[in-house]
Amino acid sequence: MKAVNRQPFLFAMETKNSKWLVLSLLALVWGSSFILMKKGLEGGLTPYQLGAYRILFTSLFLLLIGWKELLQISKKKILPIIAAGVLGNLLPVFLFALAQTQISSSISSTLNSFTPLNTLIIGSIFFGLTFTKKHVLGICIGIIGCLILVYAGATGNPSKNYWYAVLVVIATWCYASNINLVKKYLSDVTPFAITVGNFTFLLVPALLILYFTGYSIKEPQMASSFLPISSIHPLIYVAILGIIGTGIANIYFYKLIQISSPLFASNVTYLIPIVATIWSFIDHEKVSLAQIIGTGIILIGVYIPNKK
């Protein structure tokens, strides 16, 4: 009898172009995540509820479809999988949620483009990747772009605290650490097993956070909806964010790391701001010329270390 392949369907399509297909799909999904986070917060969720419910939906979905994958994880892989869960999901989920209480979704997605630069830095310091002069140049340019972006946002929205942008930068360090960790220690574990293992562990802290911060949802801060529906419960946004934007997307991201390289996988952050900015225009977010310039400078800083 032929064995049944439980892995997601694209995993059977490993051609020379498959990594580009996965990269494009991830950019589309993750670029849409920022507007979903925004709508969840506007719907009355606190940042802690947003993060905890996101993990909760993801964990329950993955356990429902893939609990048997836990049996495939050896004992020596448990600690790396837990570390990957904390760095790649637990910390960033709450850092982004907190940041978006003060900064726009378009700026949040642009700052996420620091992930490739941080992947290089962490990889060179802890994982033996080569670090050259163009990497230093790219980092310096990226920092300049970041400062311009934060200054433009703070000037255009004086009531907001744009120092919260630092939280996004910290999240990119977490992502970068996770990418290098997965490539070095979990290349022989299936992406499905890694993801299910991650969120099985994260289910406990998510429930604890909900217990101590409260399950109830406050009255919406804003009544707007970017969809042609008059009223959408905020947990609907979070459910989509958790199941598709976190659960399924993480499976494919770990696969992308394994079939390519840490740097190539981190390049998804080049494309995310494009998708996120389109959603921002649809949702009537204001984007100034200075923000566009800052975004361009960051992308140049990210591109320089990767050009051949």
Side-chain angles (χ1 to χ4, degrees):
M1 181 180 293
K2 187 176 180 180
V4 177
N5 182 8
R6 296 193 307 273
Q7 302 303 313
F9 72 97
L10 281 180
F11 290 3
M13 302 168 51
E14 287 192 23
T15 67
K16 63 181 180 180
N17 295 319
S18 61
K19 66 179 183 180
W20 293 102
L21 176 59
V22 175
L23 185 77
S24 301
L25 289 173
L26 285 173
L28 178 62
V29 171
W30 279 338
S32 303
S33 295
F34 295 90
I35 194 69
L36 292 172
M37 284 189 277
K38 175 184 177 182
K39 293 304 174 181
L41 291 169
E42 288 181 352
L45 291 170
T46 68
Y48 301 103
Q49 289 175 325
L50 176 64
Y53 276 120
R54 179 177 179 178
I55 292 172
L56 182 61
F57 280 119
T58 308
S59 300
L60 295 177
F61 168 73
L62 290 172
L63 283 171
L64 179 65
I65 67 170
W67 62 270
K68 290 183 179 179
E69 292 297 316
L70 297 174
L71 304 176
Q72 310 300 320
I73 301 174
S74 64
K75 291 183 179 180
K76 66 179 181 179
K77 298 296 182 179
I78 292 177
L79 284 180
I81 284 178
I82 291 175
V86 172
L87 291 171
N89 292 285
L90 182 65
L91 295 178
V93 157
F94 290 100
L95 288 169
F96 273 105
L98 285 166
Q100 284 200 214
T101 61
Q102 296 293 325
I103 66 177
S104 69
S105 56
S106 59
I107 289 181
S108 182
S109 66
T110 300
L111 292 174
N112 191 42
S113 298
F114 271 103
T115 300
L117 292 177
N118 292 335
T119 300
L120 285 167
I121 294 172
I122 292 174
S124 64
I125 295 174
F126 298 105
F127 296 90
L129 294 182
T130 304
F131 198 84
T132 64
K133 291 181 180 179
K134 68 178 182 179
H135 297 149
V136 176
L137 177 61
I139 292 168
C140 292
I141 293 174
I143 291 173
I144 292 172
C146 178
L147 293 175
I148 291 175
L149 199 64
V150 172
Y151 175 77
T155 303
N157 299 276
S159 63
K160 299 289 186 178
N161 185 354
Y162 265 71
W163 285 109
Y164 273 61
V166 174
L167 297 178
V168 177
V169 177
I170 294 173
T172 66
W173 280 94
C174 294
Y175 283 146
S177 300
N178 178 52
I179 290 170
N180 282 291
L181 183 152
V182 169
K183 185 65 175 181
K184 183 168 183 177
Y185 296 108
L186 297 172
S187 289
D188 56 342
V189 182
T190 67
F192 201 11
I194 295 172
T195 310
V196 176
N198 284 169
F199 284 93
T200 299
F201 164 75
L202 295 182
L203 182 59
V204 175
L207 289 173
L208 288 174
I209 290 170
L210 278 178
Y211 177 78
F212 286 107
T213 60
Y215 292 86
S216 59
I217 300 174
K218 299 177 181 178
E219 288 296 319
Q221 299 171 19
M222 296 175 62
S224 65
S225 175
F226 72 111
L227 295 176
I229 301 174
S230 59
S231 179
I232 299 177
H233 196 282
L235 288 182
I236 300 297
Y237 293 118
V238 181
I240 297 171
L241 184 62
I243 294 172
I244 299 176
T246 307
I248 295 175
N250 267 270
I251 296 172
Y252 283 101
F253 184 60
Y254 288 138
K255 182 62 177 179
L256 183 61
I257 295 172
Q258 293 179 349
I259 66 176
S260 59
S261 68
L263 186 56
F264 182 87
S266 67
N267 285 342
V268 68
T269 55
Y270 293 169
L271 306 175
I272 287 174
I274 299 173
V275 178
T277 300
I278 292 172
W279 278 118
S280 295
F281 279 117
I282 293 174
D283 198 46
H284 309 295
E285 282 189 5
K286 293 181 179 179
V287 179
S288 68
L289 177 61
Q291 289 174 350
I292 294 174
I293 293 173
T295 298
I297 292 174
I298 288 176
L299 295 178
I300 290 171
V302 172
Y303 169 74
I304 288 175
N306 296 284
K307 70 176 182 178
K308 296 182 178 179

